[in-house]
Amino acid sequence: MAGRRARLAEEVGDGVLLVPSATTKSIEGDYPQDSDFRQDNNFLYLTGLEVPDSWLVLIAAGGQVRAEILFIPEREPAEEMWTGPKPSFQEASKLSGIVDVRAISDFEETAVESLKQDTGVKAIYAPLNPHSRHDPHIQTLLFEGQAEVLDLEPAFARLRQVKDDFEIEMLRRAIEITDGAHLAALRTARPGMYEYELEAVIEYNFRRGGAERVGFPSIVGAGPNSVVLHYDKSRRRMEEGDLVVMDIGAEYSYYSADVTRTIPVSGAFSARQREIYDLVLGAHEAALAAVKPGNTLMDVERAARVYLQEHGAGKCGAKSCNDQFPHGVSHWLGMDVHDVGDYSVKLQPGMVLTVEPGIYLADEGIGVRVEDDVLVTETGYELLSNAPRDPDEIEALMAEAATVSRR
Ligand SMILES: [Mn+2]
């Protein structure tokens, strides 16, 4: 974490950096599920701490960390009886590597007050997202402070766009769990089952694998729902002949996977479904071949689109296949499923992206998407997700599972 704080200071140069944690949610007012406190990604990235209602203050000068102070709530035994122990100042210091840990009341009373008045401060940086903009401290500094408050989000985005070894390890774990869930779903799916039953199999496997939560609401859409890009209701009874699109991702240690597979509910693709599936898979392979340092996401996108143009003529109904493919091929992946980062930069080792072409024929109730998570390496790429995507392999595995369950 100290290395990350040093790189942030390097990005910014000079200024006082204020980074808020996530705030405590009301169990009754905010409709949480279970482990519903989720730390702010930027705060976690710099401190490794899951404490709510805290601030990190970092003073950068000449591109170096001159001072860093962590403000966290003091422990309250009466409250901990309900919510469990919170870290002490010593524990927080040890976990984050920040020596100077103080009570959050000091931040409110002294830090903001002195920043409001101190004309010597050249700039104050804070992440200015829709959530943090409404924070009373940020509001005070924005409207009553002497120094200009600048947005820290772009600096975070530049750092988080290139993953360090630890981050890649966490992503591998999230993706491995998600691959396992896909395999379990493929072995379980059959006509007559409801989408929510398949979703339950998936999310059971997430939790069983150690995932804290889903990285995003699971998309399990069969038949006519397979063409709805962000379908998350999961209420359909799946019928013989349906394709089911499963766009899912476990979150492990704050890193999310995002892997999509499309399988035939009855265990075999129809000729027409197979035709569309093969096109999507071809576009997927073409896009992957464009993932290498120096290229951009635009190059990856173009490779998929050129493939569909060259191989899809007359296969996607009245429109062209590219017209039936309304979303982008790639997005960044990390602590956010659509992770932070500039979309125009050249790919470099350590970046992680998705590759996810799809074709959606609403008239025929045929939607196909194949999505994998891809790490950019020195020479090209490494596929991080490995759930079966070859249509013959999918059919063989489903046939095998059907035989086993009949015994
Ligand atoms: Mn995706």
Side-chain angles (χ1 to χ4, degrees):
M1 311 302 163
R4 294 175 183 174
R5 297 193 294 271
R7 282 201 300 283
L8 187 63
E10 217 174 291
E11 282 285 338
V12 170
D14 297 277
V16 176
L17 281 55
L18 303 178
V19 184
S21 76
T23 51
T24 307
K25 282 193 195 176
S26 151
I27 287 188
E28 291 177 11
D30 298 329
Y31 300 98
Q33 301 222 335
D34 46 6
S35 57
D36 236 32
F37 174 77
R38 190 180 185 281
Q39 185 57 286
D40 174 83
N41 286 331
N42 291 331
F43 187 88
L44 189 90
Y45 184 78
L46 293 184
T47 66
L49 294 173
E50 273 195 305
V51 284
D53 308 315
S54 304
W55 287 79
L56 171 67
V57 177
L58 200 146
I59 297 165
Q64 291 189 324
V65 178
R66 278 299 148 83
E68 43 188 16
I69 311 165
L70 182 66
F71 294 93
I72 65 173
E74 289 185 85
R75 295 184 63 176
E76 286 181 52
E79 194 207 295
E80 289 186 6
M81 217 174 80
W82 294 87
T83 54
K86 295 266 186 332
S88 66
F89 287 9
Q90 291 86 341
E91 284 162 337
S93 174
K94 201 174 161 206
L95 286 164
S96 63
I98 297 166
V99 177
D100 194 348
V101 181
R102 302 185 197 176
I104 190 64
S105 49
D106 287 354
F107 175 76
E108 289 163 1
E109 284 167 18
T110 58
V112 175
E113 207 48 42
S114 68
L115 282 172
K116 211 173 101 180
Q117 284 155 14
D118 189 352
T119 48
V121 176
K122 283 187 206 141
I124 298 171
Y125 286 86
L128 297 178
N129 51 54
H131 171 73
S132 67
R133 263 181 206 280
H134 291 102
D135 181 277
H137 304 308
I138 300 278
Q139 293 266 310
T140 303
L141 294 169
L142 277 173
F143 299 110
E144 298 170 39
Q146 299 300 310
E148 202 181 354
V149 182
L150 302 169
D151 191 6
L152 194 50
E153 293 281 8
F156 273 120
R158 286 193 293 275
L159 291 187
R160 284 171 48 195
Q161 194 166 19
V162 181
K163 272 69 181 172
D164 60 34
D165 290 348
F166 174 80
E167 295 185 281
I168 292 169
E169 245 351 271
M170 296 306 105
L171 275 166
R172 281 186 199 282
R173 189 78 194 99
I175 293 164
E176 195 184 320
I177 294 167
T178 306
D179 277 345
H182 267 302
L183 207 53
L186 181 152
R187 290 191 170 123
T188 317
R190 53 175 169 70
M193 207 177 165
Y194 284 85
E195 291 165 340
Y196 54 76
E197 292 180 79
L198 203 52
E199 180 174 306
V201 169
I202 289 164
E203 295 185 8
Y204 161 76
N205 276 277
F206 284 180
R207 292 304 297 264
R208 191 165 172 266
E212 297 109 26
R213 52 178 83 78
V214 291
F216 55 94
S218 299
I219 297 166
V220 179
N225 299 330
S226 66
V227 305
V228 181
L229 301 180
H230 282 172
Y231 174 77
D232 62 359
K233 295 189 181 67
S234 302
R235 303 310 298 180
R236 177 179 166 86
R237 185 175 184 272
M238 301 187 288
E239 306 291 349
E240 184 92 36
D242 281 1
L243 286 179
V244 57
V245 172
M246 298 172 289
D247 184 343
I248 58 170
E251 182 183 299
Y252 185 81
S253 196
Y254 284 80
Y255 289 82
S256 181
D258 186 8
V259 183
T260 308
R261 291 293 180 263
T262 303
I263 62 170
V265 170
S266 53
F269 291 94
S270 71
R272 177 63 174 146
Q273 290 169 347
R274 179 68 184 250
E275 179 178 48
I276 298 302
Y277 192 97
D278 286 343
L279 266 178
V280 171
L281 201 57
H284 182 271
E285 279 159 19
L288 278 178
V291 177
K292 56 185 162 201
N295 273 0
T296 64
L297 292 187
M298 193 49 80
D299 296 313
V300 179
E301 175 92 25
R302 195 178 300 117
R305 300 245 172 223
V306 166
Y307 179 91
L308 288 181
Q309 205 173 345
E310 287 175 355
H311 297 82
K315 291 183 182 169
C316 292
K319 293 190 201 164
S320 77
C321 290
N322 273 311
D323 284 339
Q324 308 278 28
F325 171 19
H327 56 82
V329 173
S330 298
H331 56 80
W332 304 119
L333 184 69
M335 301 180 91
D336 287 316
V337 62
H338 293 162
D339 207 24
V340 293
D342 187 338
Y343 274 67
S344 65
V345 297
K346 289 196 158 91
L347 298 177
Q348 56 171 289
M351 291 180 175
V352 178
L353 61 138
T354 64
V355 168
E356 51 174 313
I359 293 176
Y360 311 92
L361 307 177
D363 296 348
E364 300 177 58
I366 294 180
V368 176
R369 179 160 67 253
V370 177
E371 174 178 32
D372 281 290
D373 302 339
V374 186
L375 170 68
V376 182
T377 63
E378 298 285 345
T379 52
Y381 69 91
E382 181 190 337
L383 263 179
L384 298 177
S385 44
N386 290 297
R389 75 180 75 73
D390 176 82
D392 293 327
E393 191 188 352
I394 289 171
E395 287 182 349
L397 285 166
M398 291 183 83
E400 189 187 296
T403 317
V404 172
S405 66
R406 230 177 281 127
R407 251 184 234 146

